[in-house]
Amino acid sequence: MCTTARSLQMDLFKWIFGLLIVLVIYTCLYLTYCGKHEMMGSEMTDRFKLLNCMKLHQKFSNITSANSIDMMNVIGNLSAFMSCLHVTNRTQKELHRLRLRFCCNGTDLLYLTKKNTAVNQSIAYETSNRVYKVGAALHKMLPEDFPWSRRGHLGRCAVVGNGGILKNSSCGREIDSADFIIRFNLAPINDSDVGVKTDLVTINPSQLSADYRNMAENPDPLVRRVSVYGNASLMIPAFAYTHCTAVSVKTLQVLQPIRPQQPVVFFSPYYLKTLDCFWKGLGLKEKRLSTGFMLVNMALELCDDVHLYGFWPFDISLKQQTLQHHYYDNKPPKPFMHAMPEEFVRLLQLHSQGALTLHLQPCL
């Protein structure tokens, strides 16, 4: 009886053990089968994404006019395109650098200096045939030369536009990590969305006339406003229009004795004229280039890598949410002055070519 019971127990144990081995083998085979199919599915997904990115790349490279953009139709595709891996193209960067240096030479002519401007020289205005004669007093206040003539290329540059797309973007830290940071029209700065570091900031003469008309008698408001940018250079288009000159020169006269560490410089109207002719030759038709677009071109010539933030001229985001015009207010632009959607199309083309990086989504 005991022998029979033991024999039955042994047979049962062998049967259970064999069953476990079979289950283990089938489990391994099943997991291997599923893993292979999961891998195949992942590979198929990656290939689909790659093909879609290639199609989108081709699509946005071929857009030639903002008039051809149906925003509601394009937004979904553009959002997907911005999620694609962006690869910079060193050849395209050098090509654009050489073209801009040959046509416009921002390296030596971006703004007036003692080196590129002589006493009693007649400067032709950007937008008219009238001229301004540079006197000895003004010439004495011009900077000696460009700081980047000694530094070479400016490294990684962040050009920060004022578009409403920057509000709640959390891009401040990323922007501040750049080597050289350009801002416009005394735009407010903050840690969270746009950063605080600044190397160059522009001032519109209309801002000076409207907000600081009594600067000679009471310079404190203007001094407080510009001091938030540290020692950043303040760039003014003093010779764009004849009415810009007096207030621009007055600003230089007021600020230089008080803040000598913060240069006030004047756009060269010759540089702006040649840059305007360059882009008109490429089919960009507008009354005058925007300041943002001007300095993107300066960055393409002088920087190793150009990153653009806040360049979005539309009132709806990639998530189809309504945007205010600027990240700090909703004041609309002057009509019939700039063609910013057309400029954006050119920036999108440059992004597609790998010549610069356009940031249109919140930063991580």
Side-chain angles (χ1 to χ4, degrees):
M1 289 289 294
C2 291
T3 303
T4 302
R6 286 176 182 170
S7 177
L8 288 172
Q9 288 177 350
M10 288 295 295
D11 290 342
L12 181 61
F13 176 78
K14 289 178 180 178
W15 184 82
I16 292 173
F17 183 73
L19 180 61
L20 288 173
I21 291 176
V22 171
L23 287 172
V24 169
I25 292 172
Y26 272 98
T27 299
C28 291
L29 290 173
Y30 175 77
L31 291 175
T32 302
Y33 174 82
C34 291
K36 285 183 178 179
H37 278 70
E38 185 177 343
M39 188 179 298
M40 289 174 63
S42 176
E43 289 176 356
M44 291 294 290
T45 300
D46 290 342
R47 288 179 183 176
F48 176 78
K49 288 181 179 178
L50 180 60
L51 287 173
N52 191 49
C53 284
M54 292 173 65
K55 289 179 181 178
L56 291 172
H57 184 279
Q58 187 69 25
K59 175 184 178 70
F60 290 113
S61 294
N62 292 332
I63 291 178
T64 58
S65 172
N67 293 329
S68 64
I69 295 180
D70 177 357
M71 282 306 299
M72 296 307 296
N73 184 41
V74 163
I75 277 178
N77 286 331
L78 188 53
S79 180
F81 182 51
M82 287 293 118
S83 299
C84 294
L85 177 65
H86 180 61
V87 180
T88 60
N89 187 316
R90 186 60 58 184
T91 301
Q92 286 293 330
K93 288 181 181 180
E94 290 304 319
L95 176 62
H96 284 284
R97 189 195 313 279
L98 290 173
R99 290 171 72 187
L100 288 166
R101 185 162 295 176
F102 180 77
C103 86
C104 313
N105 192 16
T107 305
D108 297 316
L109 297 175
L110 177 66
Y111 57 75
L112 302 183
T113 67
K114 289 187 177 74
K115 187 174 181 179
N116 64 28
T117 309
V119 177
N120 295 326
Q121 178 177 334
S122 293
I123 298 177
Y125 279 87
E126 178 196 345
T127 57
S128 72
N129 294 324
R130 297 186 63 179
V131 297
Y132 179 90
K133 193 172 183 179
V134 178
L138 175 59
H139 187 269
K140 185 178 181 180
M141 291 189 289
L142 297 179
E144 293 291 337
D145 199 0
F146 297 100
W148 49 77
S149 298
R150 298 182 295 273
R151 294 171 58 185
H153 291 174
L154 296 177
R156 181 177 180 271
C157 294
V159 188
V160 187
N162 296 339
I165 198 170
L166 272 177
K167 188 174 182 179
N168 299 322
S169 67
S170 300
C171 287
R173 181 180 297 181
E174 185 174 310
I175 290 170
D176 280 347
S177 69
D179 300 307
F180 194 88
I181 300 170
I182 301 168
R183 304 183 189 275
F184 304 101
N185 296 341
L186 295 181
I189 53 179
N190 60 61
D191 290 313
S192 57
D193 294 333
V194 299
V196 296
K197 288 174 55 181
T198 310
D199 294 280
L200 177 64
V201 58
T202 68
I203 306 177
N204 193 318
S206 64
Q207 291 178 283
L208 297 169
S209 299
D211 300 333
Y212 307 103
R213 64 182 64 186
N214 297 320
M215 68 175 82
E217 294 77 22
N218 181 19
D220 290 347
L222 178 59
V223 170
R224 285 195 298 269
R225 187 71 191 88
V226 301
S227 63
V228 300
Y229 304 104
N231 295 336
S233 296
L234 307 170
M235 181 176 281
I236 310 174
F239 302 100
Y241 299 91
T242 54
H243 65 262
C244 297
T245 307
V247 70
S248 301
V249 172
K250 178 60 68 177
T251 302
L252 173 58
Q253 293 170 336
V254 168
L255 289 179
Q256 193 172 77
I258 300 173
R259 293 188 60 78
Q261 76 277 22
Q262 189 169 23
V264 177
V265 299
F266 297 151
F267 267 115
S268 164
Y270 175 78
Y271 172 78
L272 298 183
K273 273 188 174 182
T274 55
L275 186 65
D276 182 73
C277 289
F278 173 78
W279 280 105
K280 278 186 167 59
L282 294 175
L284 184 58
K285 307 298 183 185
E286 57 184 330
K287 186 174 181 180
R288 188 169 182 264
L289 299 175
S290 71
T291 308
F293 195 74
M294 293 170 184
L295 286 181
V296 169
N297 283 273
M298 170 263 196
L300 284 168
E301 184 178 340
L302 295 173
C303 304
D304 292 317
D305 296 295
V306 179
H307 292 257
L308 308 187
Y309 302 83
F311 281 80
W312 180 254
F314 309 108
D315 59 4
I316 187 170
S317 72
L318 293 180
K319 293 182 178 180
Q320 301 188 27
Q321 297 173 335
T322 301
L323 293 174
Q324 60 190 47
H325 185 66
H326 298 129
Y327 65 83
Y328 50 87
D329 68 27
N330 200 28
K331 185 178 180 180
K334 291 182 179 180
F336 313 117
M337 177 58 70
H338 305 304
M340 290 186 180
E342 295 293 338
E343 291 180 351
F344 175 78
V345 166
R346 303 311 172 105
L347 298 178
L348 185 56
Q349 287 178 329
L350 290 167
H351 174 90
S352 301
Q353 294 165 3
L356 54 74
T357 303
L358 189 59
H359 297 266
L360 299 178
Q361 297 174 318
C363 299
L364 300 177

